[in-house]
Amino acid sequence: TRNNYLGFLRVFSGFLVEKGYLKTRPTEGIAPISKRLYNKERTVIPTDVIKKISEYCREREPDFLFACYLLYYSFIRPVEMTRLRVRHFNLKQCTLTIPGELSKNKKTQTVTIPKKVIQYGIEIGVFSAPMDDFIFSYRLKPGSVEIDPKHFRDHWENVRRALKLKKEWKFYSLKDTGITEMLKRKMAAIDVRDQARHSSLAITEIYTDHS
């Protein structure tokens, strides 16, 4: 985020200098943060708490549980979830293809969806919806209207309060926890990288300290 803001300010201040509004760029001398030197703080949720979340959601938030599964097992980002449609899933092969125009890295990539997640989606009626429906719409049910990722955070907050979870455990922590769990099971880092769609092994290896 900081690097993105710095990039914008560099371009904007360059425009101001070019037009004579400023004599120098105020961004000069400010360097971007190198990803190689920056270890992002990750908050991993304990296994017993993950189980409690699953049990609670299955009973009280069944549609939200499907979103939790996609984040925990297949590392689908919340903003990507809001753009996914039923047709992006291959039930027979247990895969999900995220088109480049919907993904963060602008690449079309296919990830594995565990059979239990596919079966759960069938159970709650996700894959009975029309192929062009978004898998998450109003009330997190399939529909024709794309929703804001904020809906996931709101549902997570309800779960967090009900179970009295720590505030530092965010919805996105499920992704960090899932990746860490894969590494704990001694899965090859390159396989974890591909499932998480990381741009390099260096990013995947940030998680190895936790595992």
Side-chain angles (χ1 to χ4, degrees):
T1 301
R2 178 190 180 280
N3 288 352
N4 288 342
Y5 286 162
L6 178 59
F8 167 78
L9 290 171
R10 280 175 168 173
V11 173
F12 182 57
S13 60
F15 164 80
L16 295 177
V17 169
E18 181 183 339
K19 297 298 181 181
Y21 293 106
L22 293 175
K23 291 183 179 180
T24 60
R25 294 187 186 191
T27 54
E28 286 182 4
I30 303 176
I33 296 175
S34 171
K35 286 187 177 180
R36 291 184 177 182
L37 301 177
Y38 176 62
N39 285 326
K40 187 174 181 179
E41 185 177 338
R42 310 273 178 184
T43 305
V44 175
I45 304 174
T47 305
D48 61 324
V49 178
I50 289 289
K51 186 178 180 181
K52 289 179 182 178
I53 293 169
S54 177
E55 291 172 348
Y56 176 86
C57 287
R58 185 174 284 273
E59 182 180 346
R60 303 287 185 88
E61 295 265 10
D63 299 295
F64 180 55
L65 179 57
F66 188 59
C68 292
Y69 277 160
L70 291 178
L71 187 57
Y72 180 78
Y73 288 110
S74 300
F75 319 133
I76 309 301
R77 301 174 181 92
V79 68
E80 294 172 338
M81 286 191 212
T82 64
R83 300 168 181 170
L84 289 176
R85 299 177 190 265
V86 177
R87 57 181 162 83
H88 294 136
F89 289 79
N90 186 317
L91 304 190
K92 187 176 181 180
Q93 296 182 3
C94 290
T95 58
L96 165 63
T97 298
I98 303 100
E101 64 269 20
L102 308 185
S103 69
K104 179 182 178 181
N105 60 15
K106 305 304 179 187
K107 295 180 181 179
T108 297
Q109 292 171 293
T110 298
V111 297
T112 299
I113 305 292
K115 183 178 271 188
K116 67 172 281 185
V117 178
I118 292 291
Q119 289 174 337
Y120 184 72
I122 293 172
E123 179 184 323
I124 63 174
V126 172
F127 302 118
S128 299
M131 296 296 282
D132 279 334
D133 269 12
F134 293 101
I135 61 169
F136 296 109
S137 189
Y138 292 129
R139 293 180 296 168
L140 300 187
K141 294 184 179 295
S144 58
V145 179
E146 182 178 341
I147 60 171
D148 191 286
K150 180 181 179 294
H151 285 255
F152 297 121
R153 295 193 294 273
D154 291 342
H155 281 266
W156 176 262
E157 186 61 19
N158 293 337
V159 174
R160 191 191 67 76
R161 288 177 178 175
L163 297 178
K164 296 181 172 57
L165 305 179
K166 295 180 180 179
K167 286 189 176 181
E168 56 263 36
W169 292 338
K170 310 295 185 183
F171 178 51
Y172 209 75
S173 298
L174 290 175
K175 179 182 178 182
D176 294 337
T177 305
I179 293 174
T180 302
E181 286 299 317
M182 285 186 76
L183 291 168
K184 273 185 181 178
R185 297 188 195 113
K186 305 299 181 183
M187 294 190 71
I190 194 167
D191 292 332
V192 180
R193 180 203 65 184
D194 291 346
Q195 179 75 345
R197 292 174 292 138
H198 288 154
S199 58
S200 70
L201 276 174
I203 295 175
T204 306
E205 287 168 356
I206 291 173
Y207 295 84
T208 55
D209 289 341
H210 297 285
S211 66

